[in-house]
């Protein structure tokens, strides 16, 4: 009998493999048009460090946790697929979550590992429960486990995401560790990787809240599809403060959330030195506008080209999904075997 805990489940663990680029996994929800926050916090870092063992997906199942319009979900998933290719993620493995059945298969096994207490503490469920809503879907309670399955299936070492995903990755690590300790070393315990700047881009109208694609505040959100004049208008109206001191243009998150956010966006788009010499909010906003417009221009151009060639996007995803099915099937089988399923 094979008693080596590293190989008895029928697969090699990462520890046994020669050094290679870290497997990475990250998903985006098709719940709205992508924002500058999605781009700076997730898409751009994903692109800049990609290789074939980077699995990047469209989390369409996660769009079902609240009431949704099927037609809109279909259109937004298509738009997101085009955007992922347009950003330049074509050297990664791209997929739509619902087309890789292992995600929901593993999710149930992990539900049998997660505790209700830890799911009750997850922010989205907690906030919705507090609102007194009587029609909270069961999926809003269990989705963090599906998210753990999304991640653990690919056995990534790194999960490149914005800072808002910290609680989800922590839960994933807890579930992976508990599963491995209870049943054997099936999963790699991943670490969160956030970008050095703009890990949390804030809403321009309410700089204490995250810039969110499903956010209420249209004027405070820069969408990746916004044309230059719209970017200019939104940045021009960004909330700052009434400070007129010579050093008013400085990063200081607590007392100056709006100015700090603009400076972070500027630095992320145009480099660490871009704010040097800027002393007025007007000049800061002009510099931010120019930097954002320059950053978005190639992306928008490539999006327009791809919109005319939807077959290309479909083919990229079909190939990615086939690879995902191959990569994930043995991991589900290993988890099933470890739990005693025959
Ligand atoms: P979501 O919009 O929830 O589907 O998130 C997709 C990715 O974008 C995740 O990695 C998030 O952490 C990241 N993200 C979303 N909003 C922001 C933001 N305002 N700033 C930085 N990263 C963000």
């Amino acid at each position: 009998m094979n008693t080596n805990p590293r190989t008895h489940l029928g697969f090699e663990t990462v520890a046994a493999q020669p050094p290679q680029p870290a497997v990475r996994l990250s998903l985006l929800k098709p719940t709205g048009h992508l924002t500058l926050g999605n781009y700076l916090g997730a898409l751009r870092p994903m692109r800049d460090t990609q290789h074939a063992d980077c699995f990047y997906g469209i989390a369409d199942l996660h769009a079902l946790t609240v009431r949704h319009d099927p037609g809109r979900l279909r259109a937004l998933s298509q738009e997101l697929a085009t955007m992922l290719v347009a950003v330049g993620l074509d050297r990664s493995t791209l997929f739509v979550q619902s087309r890789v059945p292992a995600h929901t298969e593993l999710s149930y096994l992990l539900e049998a590992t997660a505790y209700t207490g830890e799911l009750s503490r997850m922010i989205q469920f907690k906030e919705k429960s507090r609102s007194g809503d009587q029609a909270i879907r069961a999926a809003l309670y269990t989705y963090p486990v599906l998210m753990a399955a999304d991640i653990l299936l690919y056995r990534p070492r790194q999960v490149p995401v914005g800072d808002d995903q910290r609680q989800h990755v922590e839960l994933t690590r807890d579930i992976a560790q508990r599963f491995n300790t209870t049943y054997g070393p099936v999963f790699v315990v991943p670490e969160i990787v956030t970008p050095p700047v703009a890990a949390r881009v804030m809403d321009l109208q309410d700089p204490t809240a995250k810039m969110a694609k499903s956010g209420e505040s249209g004027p405070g959100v820069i969408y990746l599809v916004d044309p230059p004049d719209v970017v200019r208008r939104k940045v021009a109206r960004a909330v700052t403060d009434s400070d007129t001191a010579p050093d008013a243009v400085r990063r200081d998150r607590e007392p100056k959330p709006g100015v700090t956010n603009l400076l972070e966006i500027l630095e992320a788009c145009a480099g660490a030195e871009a704010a040097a010499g800027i002393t007025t909010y007007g000049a800061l906003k002009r510099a931010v506008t120019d930097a954002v417009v320059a950053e978005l221009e190639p992306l928008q151009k490539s999006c327009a080209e791809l919109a005319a060639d939807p077959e290309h996007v479909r083919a990229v995803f079909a190939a990615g999904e086939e690879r995902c099915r191959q990569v994930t099937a043995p991991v589900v089988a290993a988890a099933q075997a470890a739990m005693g399923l025959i």
Side-chain angles (χ1 to χ4, degrees), residues 145-179:
V145 183
L146 176 59
M147 208 175 248
D150 297 334
I151 295 170
L152 297 177
L153 265 179
Y154 296 85
R155 300 161 83 213
R157 282 181 188 281
Q158 297 182 338
V159 183
V161 284
D163 190 58
D164 60 326
Q165 296 301 317
R166 204 165 280 283
Q167 193 188 28
H168 291 124
V169 180
E170 280 305 318
L171 177 72
T172 301
R173 288 169 56 85
D174 289 347
I175 291 176
Q177 270 155 351
R178 191 175 309 139
F179 188 104

PDB file of all heavy atoms in Angstrom, residues 145-179:
ATOM      1  N   VAL A 145     -17.887  29.716  -0.776  1.00  0.00           N
ATOM      2  CA  VAL A 145     -17.350  28.356  -0.902  1.00  0.00           C
ATOM      3  C   VAL A 145     -17.117  28.040  -2.384  1.00  0.00           C
ATOM      4  O   VAL A 145     -16.108  27.425  -2.755  1.00  0.00           O
ATOM      5  CB  VAL A 145     -18.315  27.308  -0.286  1.00  0.00           C
ATOM      6  CG1 VAL A 145     -17.699  25.929  -0.361  1.00  0.00           C
ATOM      7  CG2 VAL A 145     -18.649  27.680   1.142  1.00  0.00           C
ATOM      8  N   LEU A 146     -18.032  28.490  -3.235  1.00  0.00           N
ATOM      9  CA  LEU A 146     -17.819  28.321  -4.680  1.00  0.00           C
ATOM     10  C   LEU A 146     -16.540  29.057  -5.086  1.00  0.00           C
ATOM     11  O   LEU A 146     -15.743  28.583  -5.889  1.00  0.00           O
ATOM     12  CB  LEU A 146     -19.024  28.859  -5.461  1.00  0.00           C
ATOM     13  CG  LEU A 146     -18.911  28.852  -6.984  1.00  0.00           C
ATOM     14  CD1 LEU A 146     -18.670  27.442  -7.531  1.00  0.00           C
ATOM     15  CD2 LEU A 146     -20.175  29.454  -7.633  1.00  0.00           C
ATOM     16  N   MET A 147     -16.338  30.217  -4.470  1.00  0.00           N
ATOM     17  CA  MET A 147     -15.126  30.974  -4.780  1.00  0.00           C
ATOM     18  C   MET A 147     -13.883  30.205  -4.336  1.00  0.00           C
ATOM     19  O   MET A 147     -12.869  30.172  -5.039  1.00  0.00           O
ATOM     20  CB  MET A 147     -15.195  32.321  -4.065  1.00  0.00           C
ATOM     21  CG  MET A 147     -14.451  33.393  -4.768  1.00  0.00           C
ATOM     22  SD  MET A 147     -14.718  34.942  -3.929  1.00  0.00           S
ATOM     23  CE  MET A 147     -15.654  35.845  -5.074  1.00  0.00           C
ATOM     24  N   ALA A 148     -13.973  29.554  -3.180  1.00  0.00           N
ATOM     25  CA  ALA A 148     -12.841  28.725  -2.730  1.00  0.00           C
ATOM     26  C   ALA A 148     -12.608  27.601  -3.737  1.00  0.00           C
ATOM     27  O   ALA A 148     -11.464  27.288  -4.093  1.00  0.00           O
ATOM     28  CB  ALA A 148     -13.128  28.165  -1.338  1.00  0.00           C
ATOM     29  N   ALA A 149     -13.694  27.013  -4.228  1.00  0.00           N
ATOM     30  CA  ALA A 149     -13.560  25.938  -5.229  1.00  0.00           C
ATOM     31  C   ALA A 149     -12.931  26.485  -6.508  1.00  0.00           C
ATOM     32  O   ALA A 149     -12.032  25.863  -7.092  1.00  0.00           O
ATOM     33  CB  ALA A 149     -14.927  25.320  -5.523  1.00  0.00           C
ATOM     34  N   ASP A 150     -13.392  27.673  -6.941  1.00  0.00           N
ATOM     35  CA  ASP A 150     -12.828  28.301  -8.149  1.00  0.00           C
ATOM     36  C   ASP A 150     -11.300  28.347  -8.046  1.00  0.00           C
ATOM     37  O   ASP A 150     -10.588  28.063  -8.997  1.00  0.00           O
ATOM     38  CB  ASP A 150     -13.306  29.756  -8.292  1.00  0.00           C
ATOM     39  CG  ASP A 150     -14.809  29.890  -8.466  1.00  0.00           C
ATOM     40  OD1 ASP A 150     -15.424  28.932  -8.956  1.00  0.00           O
ATOM     41  OD2 ASP A 150     -15.348  30.953  -8.102  1.00  0.00           O
ATOM     42  N   ILE A 151     -10.845  28.743  -6.880  1.00  0.00           N
ATOM     43  CA  ILE A 151      -9.410  28.940  -6.685  1.00  0.00           C
ATOM     44  C   ILE A 151      -8.685  27.599  -6.536  1.00  0.00           C
ATOM     45  O   ILE A 151      -7.735  27.299  -7.263  1.00  0.00           O
ATOM     46  CB  ILE A 151      -9.163  29.823  -5.435  1.00  0.00           C
ATOM     47  CG1 ILE A 151      -9.730  31.238  -5.648  1.00  0.00           C
ATOM     48  CG2 ILE A 151      -7.682  29.886  -5.096  1.00  0.00           C
ATOM     49  CD1 ILE A 151      -9.751  32.113  -4.410  1.00  0.00           C
ATOM     50  N   LEU A 152      -9.166  26.780  -5.608  1.00  0.00           N
ATOM     51  CA  LEU A 152      -8.403  25.574  -5.225  1.00  0.00           C
ATOM     52  C   LEU A 152      -8.319  24.552  -6.349  1.00  0.00           C
ATOM     53  O   LEU A 152      -7.352  23.782  -6.436  1.00  0.00           O
ATOM     54  CB  LEU A 152      -9.018  24.952  -3.969  1.00  0.00           C
ATOM     55  CG  LEU A 152      -8.968  25.864  -2.730  1.00  0.00           C
ATOM     56  CD1 LEU A 152      -9.650  25.207  -1.546  1.00  0.00           C
ATOM     57  CD2 LEU A 152      -7.518  26.224  -2.385  1.00  0.00           C
ATOM     58  N   LEU A 153      -9.305  24.566  -7.246  1.00  0.00           N
ATOM     59  CA  LEU A 153      -9.317  23.629  -8.380  1.00  0.00           C
ATOM     60  C   LEU A 153      -8.070  23.702  -9.237  1.00  0.00           C
ATOM     61  O   LEU A 153      -7.670  22.733  -9.867  1.00  0.00           O
ATOM     62  CB  LEU A 153     -10.459  24.029  -9.320  1.00  0.00           C
ATOM     63  CG  LEU A 153     -11.780  23.335  -9.170  1.00  0.00           C
ATOM     64  CD1 LEU A 153     -12.740  23.911 -10.183  1.00  0.00           C
ATOM     65  CD2 LEU A 153     -11.634  21.834  -9.373  1.00  0.00           C
ATOM     66  N   TYR A 154      -7.469  24.896  -9.308  1.00  0.00           N
ATOM     67  CA  TYR A 154      -6.320  25.092 -10.204  1.00  0.00           C
ATOM     68  C   TYR A 154      -5.012  24.993  -9.434  1.00  0.00           C
ATOM     69  O   TYR A 154      -3.946  25.152  -9.993  1.00  0.00           O
ATOM     70  CB  TYR A 154      -6.460  26.429 -10.941  1.00  0.00           C
ATOM     71  CG  TYR A 154      -7.685  26.411 -11.831  1.00  0.00           C
ATOM     72  CD1 TYR A 154      -8.938  26.721 -11.342  1.00  0.00           C
ATOM     73  CD2 TYR A 154      -7.585  26.001 -13.152  1.00  0.00           C
ATOM     74  CE1 TYR A 154     -10.069  26.647 -12.138  1.00  0.00           C
ATOM     75  CE2 TYR A 154      -8.706  25.938 -13.961  1.00  0.00           C
ATOM     76  CZ  TYR A 154      -9.944  26.264 -13.444  1.00  0.00           C
ATOM     77  OH  TYR A 154     -11.060  26.172 -14.247  1.00  0.00           O
ATOM     78  N   ARG A 155      -5.118  24.786  -8.141  1.00  0.00           N
ATOM     79  CA  ARG A 155      -3.968  24.669  -7.249  1.00  0.00           C
ATOM     80  C   ARG A 155      -2.951  25.797  -7.476  1.00  0.00           C
ATOM     81  O   ARG A 155      -1.750  25.552  -7.658  1.00  0.00           O
ATOM     82  CB  ARG A 155      -3.345  23.286  -7.417  1.00  0.00           C
ATOM     83  CG  ARG A 155      -4.398  22.223  -7.069  1.00  0.00           C
ATOM     84  CD  ARG A 155      -4.088  20.875  -7.600  1.00  0.00           C
ATOM     85  NE  ARG A 155      -3.185  20.181  -6.756  1.00  0.00           N
ATOM     86  CZ  ARG A 155      -2.280  19.310  -7.231  1.00  0.00           C
ATOM     87  NH1 ARG A 155      -2.162  19.130  -8.508  1.00  0.00           N
ATOM     88  NH2 ARG A 155      -1.536  18.677  -6.416  1.00  0.00           N
ATOM     89  N   PRO A 156      -3.469  27.049  -7.511  1.00  0.00           N
ATOM     90  CA  PRO A 156      -2.548  28.172  -7.736  1.00  0.00           C
ATOM     91  C   PRO A 156      -1.773  28.498  -6.471  1.00  0.00           C
ATOM     92  O   PRO A 156      -2.264  28.297  -5.367  1.00  0.00           O
ATOM     93  CB  PRO A 156      -3.499  29.329  -8.073  1.00  0.00           C
ATOM     94  CG  PRO A 156      -4.721  29.016  -7.268  1.00  0.00           C
ATOM     95  CD  PRO A 156      -4.836  27.500  -7.228  1.00  0.00           C
ATOM     96  N   ARG A 157      -0.551  28.993  -6.660  1.00  0.00           N
ATOM     97  CA  ARG A 157       0.187  29.530  -5.512  1.00  0.00           C
ATOM     98  C   ARG A 157      -0.269  30.958  -5.237  1.00  0.00           C
ATOM     99  O   ARG A 157      -0.175  31.444  -4.131  1.00  0.00           O
ATOM    100  CB  ARG A 157       1.682  29.575  -5.826  1.00  0.00           C
ATOM    101  CG  ARG A 157       2.387  28.258  -5.737  1.00  0.00           C
ATOM    102  CD  ARG A 157       3.856  28.523  -6.060  1.00  0.00           C
ATOM    103  NE  ARG A 157       4.595  27.303  -6.195  1.00  0.00           N
ATOM    104  CZ  ARG A 157       5.034  26.590  -5.165  1.00  0.00           C
ATOM    105  NH1 ARG A 157       4.781  26.991  -3.940  1.00  0.00           N
ATOM    106  NH2 ARG A 157       5.714  25.498  -5.360  1.00  0.00           N
ATOM    107  N   GLN A 158      -0.670  31.661  -6.310  1.00  0.00           N
ATOM    108  CA  GLN A 158      -0.962  33.082  -6.163  1.00  0.00           C
ATOM    109  C   GLN A 158      -2.345  33.422  -6.719  1.00  0.00           C
ATOM    110  O   GLN A 158      -2.749  32.885  -7.747  1.00  0.00           O
ATOM    111  CB  GLN A 158       0.079  33.898  -6.927  1.00  0.00           C
ATOM    112  CG  GLN A 158       1.474  33.688  -6.369  1.00  0.00           C
ATOM    113  CD  GLN A 158       2.509  34.530  -7.077  1.00  0.00           C
ATOM    114  OE1 GLN A 158       2.292  34.961  -8.204  1.00  0.00           O
ATOM    115  NE2 GLN A 158       3.630  34.749  -6.419  1.00  0.00           N
ATOM    116  N   VAL A 159      -3.015  34.333  -6.018  1.00  0.00           N
ATOM    117  CA  VAL A 159      -4.312  34.825  -6.471  1.00  0.00           C
ATOM    118  C   VAL A 159      -4.177  36.342  -6.628  1.00  0.00           C
ATOM    119  O   VAL A 159      -4.221  37.077  -5.641  1.00  0.00           O
ATOM    120  CB  VAL A 159      -5.422  34.475  -5.448  1.00  0.00           C
ATOM    121  CG1 VAL A 159      -6.784  34.921  -5.963  1.00  0.00           C
ATOM    122  CG2 VAL A 159      -5.437  32.979  -5.158  1.00  0.00           C
ATOM    123  N   PRO A 160      -3.955  36.825  -7.868  1.00  0.00           N
ATOM    124  CA  PRO A 160      -3.791  38.270  -8.055  1.00  0.00           C
ATOM    125  C   PRO A 160      -5.150  38.963  -8.102  1.00  0.00           C
ATOM    126  O   PRO A 160      -5.929  38.782  -9.036  1.00  0.00           O
ATOM    127  CB  PRO A 160      -3.079  38.376  -9.422  1.00  0.00           C
ATOM    128  CG  PRO A 160      -3.400  37.107 -10.143  1.00  0.00           C
ATOM    129  CD  PRO A 160      -3.797  36.071  -9.125  1.00  0.00           C
ATOM    130  N   VAL A 161      -5.450  39.752  -7.091  1.00  0.00           N
ATOM    131  CA  VAL A 161      -6.754  40.427  -6.991  1.00  0.00           C
ATOM    132  C   VAL A 161      -6.570  41.793  -6.344  1.00  0.00           C
ATOM    133  O   VAL A 161      -5.497  42.108  -5.834  1.00  0.00           O
ATOM    134  CB  VAL A 161      -7.746  39.614  -6.109  1.00  0.00           C
ATOM    135  CG1 VAL A 161      -8.305  38.422  -6.836  1.00  0.00           C
ATOM    136  CG2 VAL A 161      -7.093  39.176  -4.809  1.00  0.00           C
ATOM    137  N   GLY A 162      -7.641  42.588  -6.367  1.00  0.00           N
ATOM    138  CA  GLY A 162      -7.639  43.844  -5.627  1.00  0.00           C
ATOM    139  C   GLY A 162      -7.796  43.544  -4.139  1.00  0.00           C
ATOM    140  O   GLY A 162      -8.144  42.424  -3.739  1.00  0.00           O
ATOM    141  N   ASP A 163      -7.566  44.570  -3.342  1.00  0.00           N
ATOM    142  CA  ASP A 163      -7.538  44.406  -1.886  1.00  0.00           C
ATOM    143  C   ASP A 163      -8.897  43.972  -1.312  1.00  0.00           C
ATOM    144  O   ASP A 163      -8.969  43.354  -0.251  1.00  0.00           O
ATOM    145  CB  ASP A 163      -7.105  45.743  -1.275  1.00  0.00           C
ATOM    146  CG  ASP A 163      -6.820  45.615   0.188  1.00  0.00           C
ATOM    147  OD1 ASP A 163      -5.963  44.796   0.535  1.00  0.00           O
ATOM    148  OD2 ASP A 163      -7.486  46.314   0.978  1.00  0.00           O
ATOM    149  N   ASP A 164      -9.990  44.263  -2.059  1.00  0.00           N
ATOM    150  CA  ASP A 164     -11.331  43.929  -1.562  1.00  0.00           C
ATOM    151  C   ASP A 164     -11.562  42.423  -1.446  1.00  0.00           C
ATOM    152  O   ASP A 164     -12.520  41.989  -0.831  1.00  0.00           O
ATOM    153  CB  ASP A 164     -12.409  44.552  -2.468  1.00  0.00           C
ATOM    154  CG  ASP A 164     -12.308  44.065  -3.904  1.00  0.00           C
ATOM    155  OD1 ASP A 164     -11.175  43.826  -4.377  1.00  0.00           O
ATOM    156  OD2 ASP A 164     -13.354  43.911  -4.549  1.00  0.00           O
ATOM    157  N   GLN A 165     -10.690  41.624  -2.052  1.00  0.00           N
ATOM    158  CA  GLN A 165     -10.898  40.175  -2.057  1.00  0.00           C
ATOM    159  C   GLN A 165     -10.192  39.456  -0.909  1.00  0.00           C
ATOM    160  O   GLN A 165     -10.187  38.224  -0.843  1.00  0.00           O
ATOM    161  CB  GLN A 165     -10.423  39.588  -3.393  1.00  0.00           C
ATOM    162  CG  GLN A 165     -11.220  40.069  -4.579  1.00  0.00           C
ATOM    163  CD  GLN A 165     -12.698  39.710  -4.445  1.00  0.00           C
ATOM    164  OE1 GLN A 165     -13.045  38.612  -4.046  1.00  0.00           O
ATOM    165  NE2 GLN A 165     -13.564  40.672  -4.749  1.00  0.00           N
ATOM    166  N   ARG A 166      -9.594  40.217  -0.006  1.00  0.00           N
ATOM    167  CA  ARG A 166      -8.791  39.618   1.068  1.00  0.00           C
ATOM    168  C   ARG A 166      -9.594  38.596   1.899  1.00  0.00           C
ATOM    169  O   ARG A 166      -9.131  37.490   2.156  1.00  0.00           O
ATOM    170  CB  ARG A 166      -8.269  40.744   1.975  1.00  0.00           C
ATOM    171  CG  ARG A 166      -7.026  40.405   2.730  1.00  0.00           C
ATOM    172  CD  ARG A 166      -6.386  41.669   3.290  1.00  0.00           C
ATOM    173  NE  ARG A 166      -5.615  42.397   2.305  1.00  0.00           N
ATOM    174  CZ  ARG A 166      -4.398  42.047   1.895  1.00  0.00           C
ATOM    175  NH1 ARG A 166      -3.827  40.974   2.397  1.00  0.00           N
ATOM    176  NH2 ARG A 166      -3.756  42.748   0.980  1.00  0.00           N
ATOM    177  N   GLN A 167     -10.814  38.960   2.268  1.00  0.00           N
ATOM    178  CA  GLN A 167     -11.606  38.065   3.131  1.00  0.00           C
ATOM    179  C   GLN A 167     -11.901  36.738   2.414  1.00  0.00           C
ATOM    180  O   GLN A 167     -11.862  35.669   3.013  1.00  0.00           O
ATOM    181  CB  GLN A 167     -12.916  38.752   3.550  1.00  0.00           C
ATOM    182  CG  GLN A 167     -13.611  38.020   4.686  1.00  0.00           C
ATOM    183  CD  GLN A 167     -15.005  38.560   4.986  1.00  0.00           C
ATOM    184  OE1 GLN A 167     -15.677  39.096   4.104  1.00  0.00           O
ATOM    185  NE2 GLN A 167     -15.443  38.404   6.218  1.00  0.00           N
ATOM    186  N   HIS A 168     -12.179  36.828   1.106  1.00  0.00           N
ATOM    187  CA  HIS A 168     -12.461  35.603   0.343  1.00  0.00           C
ATOM    188  C   HIS A 168     -11.234  34.695   0.274  1.00  0.00           C
ATOM    189  O   HIS A 168     -11.344  33.478   0.413  1.00  0.00           O
ATOM    190  CB  HIS A 168     -12.899  35.957  -1.088  1.00  0.00           C
ATOM    191  CG  HIS A 168     -14.247  36.605  -1.147  1.00  0.00           C
ATOM    192  ND1 HIS A 168     -14.456  37.826  -1.728  1.00  0.00           N
ATOM    193  CD2 HIS A 168     -15.445  36.197  -0.695  1.00  0.00           C
ATOM    194  CE1 HIS A 168     -15.732  38.141  -1.627  1.00  0.00           C
ATOM    195  NE2 HIS A 168     -16.361  37.166  -1.009  1.00  0.00           N
ATOM    196  N   VAL A 169     -10.071  35.296   0.059  1.00  0.00           N
ATOM    197  CA  VAL A 169      -8.860  34.477  -0.061  1.00  0.00           C
ATOM    198  C   VAL A 169      -8.497  33.877   1.306  1.00  0.00           C
ATOM    199  O   VAL A 169      -8.070  32.731   1.397  1.00  0.00           O
ATOM    200  CB  VAL A 169      -7.696  35.284  -0.675  1.00  0.00           C
ATOM    201  CG1 VAL A 169      -6.446  34.414  -0.799  1.00  0.00           C
ATOM    202  CG2 VAL A 169      -8.087  35.805  -2.061  1.00  0.00           C
ATOM    203  N   GLU A 170      -8.747  34.647   2.379  1.00  0.00           N
ATOM    204  CA  GLU A 170      -8.494  34.112   3.728  1.00  0.00           C
ATOM    205  C   GLU A 170      -9.367  32.891   3.987  1.00  0.00           C
ATOM    206  O   GLU A 170      -8.909  31.868   4.499  1.00  0.00           O
ATOM    207  CB  GLU A 170      -8.785  35.184   4.802  1.00  0.00           C
ATOM    208  CG  GLU A 170      -7.672  36.195   4.989  1.00  0.00           C
ATOM    209  CD  GLU A 170      -6.328  35.557   5.299  1.00  0.00           C
ATOM    210  OE1 GLU A 170      -6.284  34.604   6.085  1.00  0.00           O
ATOM    211  OE2 GLU A 170      -5.312  35.995   4.714  1.00  0.00           O
ATOM    212  N   LEU A 171     -10.657  32.986   3.619  1.00  0.00           N
ATOM    213  CA  LEU A 171     -11.567  31.846   3.819  1.00  0.00           C
ATOM    214  C   LEU A 171     -11.083  30.647   2.995  1.00  0.00           C
ATOM    215  O   LEU A 171     -11.081  29.508   3.466  1.00  0.00           O
ATOM    216  CB  LEU A 171     -13.002  32.229   3.413  1.00  0.00           C
ATOM    217  CG  LEU A 171     -13.997  31.073   3.519  1.00  0.00           C
ATOM    218  CD1 LEU A 171     -14.298  30.744   4.982  1.00  0.00           C
ATOM    219  CD2 LEU A 171     -15.307  31.376   2.788  1.00  0.00           C
ATOM    220  N   THR A 172     -10.667  30.923   1.761  1.00  0.00           N
ATOM    221  CA  THR A 172     -10.167  29.853   0.889  1.00  0.00           C
ATOM    222  C   THR A 172      -8.981  29.142   1.535  1.00  0.00           C
ATOM    223  O   THR A 172      -8.888  27.913   1.524  1.00  0.00           O
ATOM    224  CB  THR A 172      -9.751  30.448  -0.477  1.00  0.00           C
ATOM    225  OG1 THR A 172     -10.893  31.073  -1.055  1.00  0.00           O
ATOM    226  CG2 THR A 172      -9.214  29.385  -1.412  1.00  0.00           C
ATOM    227  N   ARG A 173      -8.085  29.919   2.104  1.00  0.00           N
ATOM    228  CA  ARG A 173      -6.911  29.330   2.765  1.00  0.00           C
ATOM    229  C   ARG A 173      -7.348  28.468   3.963  1.00  0.00           C
ATOM    230  O   ARG A 173      -6.859  27.353   4.149  1.00  0.00           O
ATOM    231  CB  ARG A 173      -5.963  30.441   3.251  1.00  0.00           C
ATOM    232  CG  ARG A 173      -5.215  31.137   2.126  1.00  0.00           C
ATOM    233  CD  ARG A 173      -4.509  32.394   2.645  1.00  0.00           C
ATOM    234  NE  ARG A 173      -3.613  32.091   3.743  1.00  0.00           N
ATOM    235  CZ  ARG A 173      -2.351  31.685   3.603  1.00  0.00           C
ATOM    236  NH1 ARG A 173      -1.850  31.564   2.389  1.00  0.00           N
ATOM    237  NH2 ARG A 173      -1.600  31.425   4.643  1.00  0.00           N
ATOM    238  N   ASP A 174      -8.315  28.981   4.743  1.00  0.00           N
ATOM    239  CA  ASP A 174      -8.781  28.216   5.908  1.00  0.00           C
ATOM    240  C   ASP A 174      -9.407  26.891   5.457  1.00  0.00           C
ATOM    241  O   ASP A 174      -9.156  25.844   6.042  1.00  0.00           O
ATOM    242  CB  ASP A 174      -9.832  29.027   6.697  1.00  0.00           C
ATOM    243  CG  ASP A 174      -9.205  30.209   7.425  1.00  0.00           C
ATOM    244  OD1 ASP A 174      -7.962  30.254   7.522  1.00  0.00           O
ATOM    245  OD2 ASP A 174      -9.952  31.100   7.878  1.00  0.00           O
ATOM    246  N   ILE A 175     -10.230  26.947   4.418  1.00  0.00           N
ATOM    247  CA  ILE A 175     -10.903  25.729   3.946  1.00  0.00           C
ATOM    248  C   ILE A 175      -9.861  24.743   3.411  1.00  0.00           C
ATOM    249  O   ILE A 175      -9.916  23.539   3.692  1.00  0.00           O
ATOM    250  CB  ILE A 175     -11.954  26.080   2.856  1.00  0.00           C
ATOM    251  CG1 ILE A 175     -13.126  26.837   3.490  1.00  0.00           C
ATOM    252  CG2 ILE A 175     -12.447  24.825   2.150  1.00  0.00           C
ATOM    253  CD1 ILE A 175     -14.189  27.313   2.494  1.00  0.00           C
ATOM    254  N   ALA A 176      -8.893  25.242   2.645  1.00  0.00           N
ATOM    255  CA  ALA A 176      -7.860  24.362   2.075  1.00  0.00           C
ATOM    256  C   ALA A 176      -7.062  23.683   3.181  1.00  0.00           C
ATOM    257  O   ALA A 176      -6.832  22.473   3.160  1.00  0.00           O
ATOM    258  CB  ALA A 176      -6.936  25.163   1.166  1.00  0.00           C
ATOM    259  N   GLN A 177      -6.674  24.489   4.182  1.00  0.00           N
ATOM    260  CA  GLN A 177      -5.873  23.916   5.272  1.00  0.00           C
ATOM    261  C   GLN A 177      -6.681  22.862   6.030  1.00  0.00           C
ATOM    262  O   GLN A 177      -6.183  21.784   6.350  1.00  0.00           O
ATOM    263  CB  GLN A 177      -5.414  25.017   6.236  1.00  0.00           C
ATOM    264  CG  GLN A 177      -4.075  25.587   5.814  1.00  0.00           C
ATOM    265  CD  GLN A 177      -3.834  27.013   6.300  1.00  0.00           C
ATOM    266  OE1 GLN A 177      -4.732  27.671   6.819  1.00  0.00           O
ATOM    267  NE2 GLN A 177      -2.631  27.502   6.115  1.00  0.00           N
ATOM    268  N   ARG A 178      -7.957  23.176   6.287  1.00  0.00           N
ATOM    269  CA  ARG A 178      -8.797  22.233   7.036  1.00  0.00           C
ATOM    270  C   ARG A 178      -8.974  20.944   6.233  1.00  0.00           C
ATOM    271  O   ARG A 178      -8.880  19.839   6.770  1.00  0.00           O
ATOM    272  CB  ARG A 178     -10.159  22.872   7.320  1.00  0.00           C
ATOM    273  CG  ARG A 178     -10.996  22.082   8.305  1.00  0.00           C
ATOM    274  CD  ARG A 178     -12.290  22.831   8.626  1.00  0.00           C
ATOM    275  NE  ARG A 178     -12.032  24.204   9.003  1.00  0.00           N
ATOM    276  CZ  ARG A 178     -12.780  25.249   8.598  1.00  0.00           C
ATOM    277  NH1 ARG A 178     -13.828  25.073   7.804  1.00  0.00           N
ATOM    278  NH2 ARG A 178     -12.479  26.455   8.975  1.00  0.00           N
ATOM    279  N   PHE A 179      -9.227  21.094   4.943  1.00  0.00           N
ATOM    280  CA  PHE A 179      -9.410  19.897   4.099  1.00  0.00           C
ATOM    281  C   PHE A 179      -8.127  19.060   4.101  1.00  0.00           C
ATOM    282  O   PHE A 179      -8.174  17.846   4.317  1.00  0.00           O
ATOM    283  CB  PHE A 179      -9.761  20.320   2.668  1.00  0.00           C
ATOM    284  CG  PHE A 179     -10.151  19.161   1.781  1.00  0.00           C
ATOM    285  CD1 PHE A 179     -11.486  18.929   1.445  1.00  0.00           C
ATOM    286  CD2 PHE A 179      -9.189  18.286   1.281  1.00  0.00           C
ATOM    287  CE1 PHE A 179     -11.847  17.850   0.639  1.00  0.00           C
ATOM    288  CE2 PHE A 179      -9.542  17.211   0.468  1.00  0.00           C
ATOM    289  CZ  PHE A 179     -10.876  16.997   0.150  1.00  0.00           C
TER     290      PHE A 179
END
